[in-house]
Amino acid sequence: MRRPNRTTIDTEVVKKTINRNSVLIVEGFLGFMLFLLVIGMFTGSCTGPGGLQGIQGIQGIEGVAGPAGETTGVLGIPGLPGDTGLVGPAGPQGIQGEQGIQGIPGETTGIVGPAGADGAIGPVGPVGPPGDMGYLNGAPSSLLKPNINQILFFQTGGVTVENPGLASGGFAKEIPNRISRRTIDFTSKGAIRIQWAMNIQSPNIKLQLEYQPAGTNVWRVLVPFFGADILPFSNQTSGWYGLAPEDTKELFVRVMVEGNGTLDPGITYVEVDAR
């Protein structure tokens, strides 16, 4: 192999060649780096860490207010009605309210209707109870006929009736031993009364004259209970009571005594007057 001749090598040429090659390498490297820098800028790969926050700048002048925006919203389309919910449980009863003001009275008088046709005659009703005794004087014609003055009994000391009670309770008592019972003829008579006396003073003692229709066990009233608060042995006289036409005949009579259940009156006499 042939070796170069060192005496023939130009050192200046070699240096220039080396320098030019170095420059080309450096330029090539710098160009490559510049290329990478440009690529990084476009791709965002060259973003470095954030720097310190700068000092806040001076507040700028307030800008002109913009136009007011629309405040009225557009009404949407109503949705479909929902399903009816389940009925809830009944709530507790509320407090009773105050009474309302009374309303104006309505018209009470109705229009008179047309007259109805005459109906059929109904059946005869039952016989009503006996009415109260009528109080009246005898007919003037009865004054022209002899009066009846029938003494049922007479005893100076009085016939004792032991503690008679109230007639309303069924505790009135008949004169003992039935000594007041008589049959008297009231034919052509129109009014009747009784006179009597007793040996004590009390408004609680009262007498009543009754009669028994023939063939019955019922006693009916001729003169109702009466009595006054007067002195012992004083005469007491009832008012005149009318006789029904069916009673103007012979009647079987008796005397009943009413009291307070504690007194024992002695009845001295009872007289029946008719005219």
Side-chain angles (χ1 to χ4, degrees):
M1 180 176 174
R2 184 182 181 182
R3 294 183 179 180
N5 188 1
R6 293 183 180 179
T7 58
T8 61
I9 296 173
D10 190 355
T11 58
E12 292 298 332
V13 174
V14 172
K15 290 181 182 179
K16 290 180 181 179
T17 303
I18 292 172
N19 290 336
R20 186 169 53 252
N21 291 334
S22 298
V23 171
L24 290 174
I25 292 172
V26 171
E27 289 178 352
F29 178 75
L30 293 176
F32 181 73
M33 293 301 293
L34 180 61
F35 175 76
L36 292 176
L37 180 62
V38 172
I39 295 300
M41 291 175 61
F42 282 101
T43 60
S45 300
C46 296
T47 303
L52 299 176
Q53 183 176 358
I55 301 172
Q56 183 177 358
I58 301 172
Q59 179 71 32
I61 300 173
E62 183 178 357
V64 180
E70 182 65 30
T71 59
T72 304
V74 179
L75 181 64
I77 300 174
L80 297 175
D83 297 333
T84 303
L86 300 176
V87 178
Q93 182 177 359
I95 301 173
Q96 183 176 0
E98 298 179 358
Q99 182 177 0
I101 301 174
Q102 183 177 0
I104 301 174
E107 184 66 30
T108 57
T109 303
I111 300 174
V112 179
D118 293 337
I121 298 175
V124 178
V127 178
D132 295 335
M133 298 298 300
Y135 179 76
L136 55 106
N137 291 322
S141 59
S142 66
L143 300 178
L144 303 178
K145 299 178 181 179
N147 292 344
I148 293 176
N149 303 104
Q150 176 72 53
I151 297 177
L152 302 184
F153 67 90
F154 182 90
Q155 186 171 349
T156 304
V159 178
T160 301
V161 181
E162 296 182 354
N163 54 46
L166 294 174
S168 58
F171 301 110
K173 291 186 176 181
E174 184 180 357
I175 301 292
N177 302 319
R178 300 185 176 182
I179 62 174
S180 66
R181 297 193 178 192
R182 293 286 189 278
T183 297
I184 304 175
D185 186 5
F186 292 103
T187 303
S188 302
K189 302 303 178 186
I192 185 174
R193 72 178 182 183
I194 63 173
Q195 301 184 61
W196 65 282
M198 63 178 174
N199 59 2
I200 64 173
Q201 179 177 348
S202 174
N204 296 314
I205 305 302
K206 298 177 174 60
L207 266 63
Q208 175 172 274
L209 181 66
E210 301 176 346
Y211 78 99
Q212 185 180 52
T216 70
N217 293 323
V218 178
W219 290 94
R220 295 180 179 174
V221 177
L222 282 173
V223 178
F225 283 108
F226 81 97
D229 186 14
I230 59 177
L231 294 175
F233 302 103
S234 297
N235 182 71
Q236 301 192 53
T237 305
S238 74
W240 289 99
Y241 289 87
L243 286 168
E246 60 270 21
D247 294 334
T248 55
K249 57 186 176 182
E250 289 186 352
L251 297 180
F252 183 53
V253 301
R254 72 175 181 180
V255 175
M256 297 293 292
V257 182
E258 179 185 63
N260 59 4
T262 59
L263 298 176
D264 298 330
I267 311 301
T268 56
Y269 65 87
V270 175
E271 177 182 311
V272 178
D273 302 328
R275 64 182 186 184

